[in-house]
Amino acid sequence: MTESVLSTPRSLGSISGLLQVVSLLSLVLLLLKAAQLYLKRQRLLKAAQQFPSPPSHWFYGHSREFKKEQELQLTLKWVKKFPCACPRWLWGTNVIFLLYDPDYMKVILGRSDPKADEAYKFLAPWIGYGLLLLNGQPWFEHRRMLTPAFHYDILKPYVGTMADSVQMMLDKWEGLISQNPHLEIFEHISLMTLDTIMKCAFSYQGSVQTDRHSKFYIQAIEDLKNLFFSRVRNVFHQNDIIYRLAPEGCRNVHVCQLAHEHTDRVIRLRKAQLQKEGELEKVRQKRHLDFLDILLFSRMENGSSLSDKDLRAEVDTFMFEGHDTTASGISWILYALASHPEHQQRCREEIQSLLGDGASITWDHLDQMPYTTMCIKEALRLYPPIPGIGRELSKPITFPDGRSLPKGAIVVLFLYGLHHNPKVWPNPEVFDPFRFAPYATRHSHAFLPFSAGSRNCIGKQFAMNEMKVAVALTLLRFELAPDPSRVPVPSSQIVLKSQNGIYVSLKKLP
Ligand code: HEM
């Protein structure tokens, strides 16, 4: 007893000593971190000096300006003012370099810098590490495994499936416009493109356009994209632990679960189908497998099959990439044609002379609509479905004009800026399909809706086919006009959307 009383001050002393050491260590660590951030900022400031930009606050960066004005519209002002590239300070030491010059694009896309993990990693809880997010050797192996899913033998019969999905949507539109000719088209087109990708890539046999589950999935995707964008721009939500405790983080977990329920169901259904008699044999006899079957039957280099986690990641990646991008593409193309009746009519005449009533559209028709293809490309220029893509420089880079960036810098290949850059495209806001006439010339990296180089879009051909089918069949049935009371405001939400929807007025053709 006596001893314990006597020992208390000693143990208290040792505890306070320990606390002192811990506080000292924390202080040193804090100072080290501050010094590291300071040096990083100085290094980035030095790099940024070569690239003029509007003045920014040392902590808030440019975020206050972006609160005052629409993001894309403000950034386009920078594109016009600052040549080739411009730093955008997010907060503190965080800066991204926006690039919008074809020579700059060419240099970056010719290298193999990894995706900018700082932003892309926030997509991982939703789409996992599939082809879009993977880097290095695992990416290479997955790309090689999945490339045969886009062989033209596979893509050919998809044209009929695409046409069926489009016709179903157009039938629905006929009913709807008898009450109101103005239609918000993005949501309908999203369901249609989801229907198509589910049937083509995932051997789904139901109809997504009428079933309730799919509407939930589309809504979940919308929420996840908004949550992603809000997180990327919130300094306090960068840390995983803090984010998970915040209401937005909890919502993110919940909505991810909803999206995964949809993809899990698709995998389960296909596995069940394959259990049916004869089904497995049918698949084995095919020369080329559909996307999901490639995944289910895959054998990696070492002979093991794809893990469940990797399989889910690919299904989530393709389910999202395979429908949301094309939905954006088709919606904006129809809007562009609605706003330019003279080009719309010329496309219609071309399609009528090719397809007659359009009862059947096949693979062979798709490269016989040159004028329509020119209009599609011009719409993809004005409204690229993916407005920007990010890379983290794995080594320093020097651009053709002599300016350079250090290793570790984050660059955004700002495709929307490139396509609206007046130095690359004279009168960039004018819709002029003749920019894509066979005789027209342009820089190899002036038009990049599908990116370029080894990490270009694997679904490019699929997407072009789907857009052609959708545009051709829509123009055969309807005359399109814009809704002057609701002019869409382009906004970047991973894919290009409109803040106030994309409204088009439809009139059934006789
Ligand atoms: C109009 C429609 C589409 C556009 C504009 C588009 C655009 C792009 C772009 C710009 C990239 C590069 C992304 C980056 O570097 O971060 C990309 C990659 C990708 N796209 Fe598309 N895409 C479209 C349709 C599709 C479709 C239909 C699919 C699947 C069926 C698809 C699957 C992918 C995948 C998996 C990647 C990652 C490829 C890799 O890194 O190896 N895309 N796409």
Side-chain angles (χ1 to χ4, degrees), residues 109 115 120 130-134 139 143 146 150 197 201 291 314 317-330 380 384-391 415 448-452 454-460 462-464 466-467:
L109 292 172
K115 299 281 169 93
Y120 279 82
L131 207 53
L132 189 69
L133 299 195
L134 280 172
W139 165 77
R143 177 98 186 193
L146 292 171
F150 296 90
I197 196 76
F291 172 82
E314 290 303 357
T317 298
F318 278 79
M319 189 74 76
F320 161 60
E321 274 281 326
H323 93 275
D324 211 31
T325 46
T326 40
S328 166
I330 295 167
L380 289 175
I386 300 213
I389 57 183
R391 297 286 186 270
L415 308 176
L448 296 175
F450 296 100
S451 185
S454 58
R455 296 217 65 166
N456 71 346
C457 176
I458 196 172
K460 176 181 170 181
F462 180 102
M464 279 306 287
E466 189 173 11
M467 290 188 290

